[in-house]
Amino acid sequence: WQTGLMDCCSDCGVSFCFYCLGCQVASDMNECCCCGGSVAMRTLYRTRYGIPGSICSDFCIILWCPVCSVCQIKRDINKRKKLRLF
């Protein structure tokens, strides 16, 4: 990950509506809007970009910090877009 899980305040340009943000993430990844905040989406993103972790860690993060997780993915997408790596 290019930012930490708890770096939610580092990018005020990221939406604070969990459902809207989940839809933005899913849309960025050409997936169904309902999948944005799921374990499957986090695992897909992590494996696509070679980010270390496991399905178990993805599950735990989504379970205990779902908003932070979706914010982290969106920040990572935004950074990759700026670098033209997305």
Side-chain angles (χ1 to χ4, degrees), residues 2 11 14 21 23-30 45 48-49 72-86:
Q2 298 181 58
D11 184 6
V14 171
L21 190 56
C23 283
Q24 287 175 9
V25 167
S27 176
D28 286 340
M29 295 182 65
N30 295 322
Y45 187 84
R48 184 177 290 173
Y49 291 103
Q72 182 183 37
I73 296 170
K74 184 59 178 169
R75 283 192 312 274
D76 208 78
I77 288 171
N78 291 345
K79 286 182 179 272
R80 289 182 192 280
K81 283 182 177 180
K82 285 181 184 176
L83 298 171
R84 299 178 195 262
L85 299 174
F86 184 76

Side-chain angles (χ1 to χ4, degrees), residues 3-54:
T3 62
L5 183 63
M6 300 300 186
D7 289 342
C8 293
C9 295
S10 69
D11 184 6
C12 293
V14 171
S15 172
F16 287 108
C17 172
F18 175 73
Y19 300 105
C20 297
L21 190 56
C23 283
Q24 287 175 9
V25 167
S27 176
D28 286 340
M29 295 182 65
N30 295 322
E31 297 291 337
C32 172
C33 189
C34 299
C35 299
S38 68
V39 174
M41 184 66 67
R42 184 173 179 87
T43 303
L44 173 67
Y45 187 84
R46 187 179 49 71
T47 55
R48 184 177 290 173
Y49 291 103
I51 299 168
S54 67

